[in-house]
Amino acid sequence: MAGDPGAVEATLKSRIGAILRSTSGNFLEMFDFFLFGFYASYISRAFFPSGNETTELMLTFGTFWLGALMRPLGAIVLGAYIDRIGRRKGLIITLAIMASGTVLIAFCPSYDTIGVAAPLIVLVGRLLQGFSAGVEIGGVSIYLFEIATPQRRGFYTAFQSASQQVAIMFAALIGYGLNAVLTKQQIGDFGWRIPFFIGCLIVPFIFFIRRSLQETQAFAKRTHHPGTREILATVAANWRIVLLGMMLSTMTTVTFYMITVYTPTFGKTVLKLTETDSLIVTLCVAITNFIWLPVGGALSDAIGRKPVLLTISTLSLLTTYPALHWLVADPTFGKMLAVELWFSFFFGVYNGAMVVSLSEVVPAHVRASGFSLAYSLATALFGTATPMVSTFLIEKTGDRASPSYWLMAAAACGIVATLSLFRGQSQVERIPARA
């Protein structure tokens, strides 16, 4: 019966279980990505020694970015696979590829041990991770979108990104613990690898829980399952949606990588704060991200996607440079925390509305590939380039607040995409979809 409390409770438990199973791979992805950013200075010395700190960091962040350039390819190949064979099987495949990259990086010998083979192995690991990540976020977002009730799709899809914040909290706590028991020299020699080893140990558990994932009813009810060629043709025909979706996602990806992956390096090497300070700030950012994401999703369910997206993009455009200029003028832990939490508000509320908007705007029968391609292009071209671009801007301009230019450009992309997609409507214009 529709009013049976037991049935309602069973449905709720089923959805919570599905959220946990589907987002587990997101956890592993972001756990590893954050570690790569936080330990960038140690990784650069282990695999890219040059004698110049800026050059080493640029090589490390460049490798990080090259891995991200594989995302669009992964979105096309794996996205078409998920749209053709189903969400469940596709998400298991992406997890296997992601785990392979994690293992390669964790166990790769240093440059001093095997020479030029070391950075090449790390690059292969990042390429595998990027290929998998190209559809992992999109696949999970679409899965959550399809199991959600129509009135709460924003709230449900927000938990894709929320799972990543849990990973950052976990990684930050591990880093804090290592700093407490190991010296800086010990962390540089071997300690930075320990969190990566922990990530490898988590892999079997994630495989176990994701294997029990059920297929979505929306996919199971379809009578037509397009082939790869048809899927790619449909995505190509909707290139404008993909392009605007990429611009819509740029605000999310740049802000996210600014406040998570780049923050530890910015705090240590630019602001000259301690590693502990940077870890605490990152932990607080992850916690507030986790809070703001479902708030943003629920708010977009209540008042519409456009007001949320447009308001946050405009705030980011107008306040980013003043906030960073205030921070770098006299860096302190308290000021860094305040600025990062302000940016966390941008990311959480905006992304909570953005993911569901992108899920709604792509045709239903190519949701995974269309969403993944738009999001992965934003991540590859803009988001994961954030640490490298920020390092470059500071080096060339001498202005430690110059990373704000990159974030402001992303905010402008968000404004243009929102206005183009909504065309003055209160809700996203939807492309006619074939079920």
Side-chain angles (χ1 to χ4, degrees):
M1 294 178 60
D4 182 0
V8 173
E9 183 179 356
T11 301
L12 179 60
K13 288 182 178 179
S14 175
R15 285 205 175 99
I16 292 174
I19 290 172
L20 294 175
R21 293 183 187 95
S22 62
T23 58
S24 59
N26 273 181
F27 176 93
L28 177 64
E29 175 197 346
M30 191 44 57
F31 180 75
D32 189 77
F33 276 33
F34 171 74
L35 291 177
F36 202 94
F38 181 75
Y39 291 109
S41 57
Y42 300 114
I43 292 173
S44 64
R45 287 194 290 271
F47 301 118
F48 305 97
S50 70
N52 182 281
E53 182 181 23
T54 299
T55 301
E56 291 172 353
L57 279 175
M58 288 290 288
L59 287 171
T60 302
F61 287 138
T63 301
F64 185 79
W65 184 50
L66 285 174
L69 291 180
M70 287 292 287
R71 284 180 178 242
L73 180 60
I76 294 170
V77 175
L78 296 177
Y81 181 75
I82 289 178
D83 278 326
R84 180 166 53 85
I85 60 94
R87 314 315 190 199
R88 176 186 177 276
K89 291 180 181 178
L91 289 176
I92 292 175
I93 293 295
T94 62
L95 177 59
I97 298 172
M98 174 65 68
S100 300
T102 299
V103 171
L104 274 179
I105 295 174
F107 290 93
C108 180
S110 68
Y111 185 93
D112 291 339
T113 304
I114 61 173
V116 72
L120 291 177
I121 291 173
V122 172
L123 177 60
V124 170
R126 286 290 303 128
L127 293 178
L128 286 172
Q129 290 177 330
F131 184 73
S132 168
V135 80
E136 173 70 26
I137 291 176
V140 171
S141 297
I142 294 307
Y143 186 91
L144 295 176
F145 178 83
E146 291 183 348
I147 68 170
T149 56
Q151 298 78 20
R152 306 195 73 190
R153 281 177 174 158
F155 178 75
Y156 272 89
T157 55
F159 283 97
Q160 176 274 123
S161 293
S163 68
Q164 297 177 335
Q165 312 315 310
V166 177
I168 294 171
M169 294 179 214
F170 185 55
L173 288 172
I174 292 175
Y176 185 84
L178 288 176
N179 282 346
V181 300
L182 298 177
T183 65
K184 189 172 183 178
Q185 181 64 40
Q186 289 173 324
I187 293 176
D189 291 341
F190 66 89
W192 67 267
R193 292 183 185 267
I194 294 175
F196 286 94
F197 293 150
I198 293 174
C200 293
L201 295 176
I202 295 173
V203 169
F205 173 71
I206 296 178
F207 266 112
F208 175 75
I209 63 175
R210 187 168 270 194
R211 282 184 60 191
S212 61
L213 196 65
Q214 299 297 312
E215 188 56 78
T216 68
Q217 291 185 10
F219 183 87
K221 288 179 179 178
R222 287 186 196 163
T223 57
H224 175 71
H225 295 281
T228 301
R229 181 174 296 181
E230 182 182 348
I231 290 170
L232 296 180
T234 304
V235 172
N238 286 275
W239 63 269
R240 180 178 175 275
I241 295 299
V242 172
L243 178 62
L244 290 174
M246 178 194 74
M247 294 176 66
L248 195 70
S249 304
T250 296
M251 168 66 184
T252 281
T253 60
V254 170
T255 307
F256 179 73
Y257 282 93
M258 179 76 76
I259 64 177
T260 55
V261 174
Y262 183 59
T263 286
T265 300
F266 185 69
K268 288 184 295 183
T269 64
V270 179
L271 303 182
K272 305 303 180 182
L273 300 177
T274 67
E275 287 190 6
T276 300
D277 286 344
S278 296
L279 275 170
I280 293 174
V281 168
T282 305
L283 178 61
C284 292
V285 163
I287 293 171
T288 54
N289 284 349
F290 186 85
I291 295 170
W292 286 121
L293 281 161
V295 169
L299 191 61
S300 74
D301 288 332
I303 68 173
R305 320 299 184 205
K306 180 182 179 180
V308 177
L309 296 172
L310 202 55
T311 298
I312 297 300
S313 296
T314 303
L315 277 174
S316 180
L317 181 65
L318 296 177
T319 66
T320 294
Y321 185 82
L324 269 183
H325 182 73
W326 173 71
L327 168 61
V328 302
D330 181 25
T332 65
F333 168 78
K335 290 172 72 172
M336 183 178 180
L337 179 61
V339 170
E340 294 293 328
L341 291 183
W342 180 234
F343 292 168
S344 169
F345 168 72
F346 293 162
F347 165 74
V349 177
Y350 182 92
N351 193 71
M354 188 282 298
V355 172
V356 67
S357 298
L358 189 54
S359 301
E360 288 172 339
V361 80
V362 293
H365 61 295
V366 292
R367 270 198 190 119
S369 47
F371 182 111
S372 298
L373 182 57
Y375 194 93
S376 63
L377 284 171
T379 304
L381 299 178
F382 305 104
T384 50
T386 297
M388 184 175 66
V389 171
S390 298
T391 302
F392 175 81
L393 286 173
I394 293 172
E395 177 73 11
K396 291 301 180 181
T397 66
D399 181 1
R400 294 183 296 172
S402 59
S404 60
Y405 303 145
W406 189 240
L407 186 52
M408 291 165 66
C413 285
I415 293 172
V416 171
T418 300
L419 293 175
S420 299
L421 284 171
F422 286 82
R423 300 170 185 258
Q425 301 295 316
S426 60
Q427 292 293 328
V428 172
E429 263 189 64
R430 302 192 187 189
I431 300 299
R434 175 169 53 184

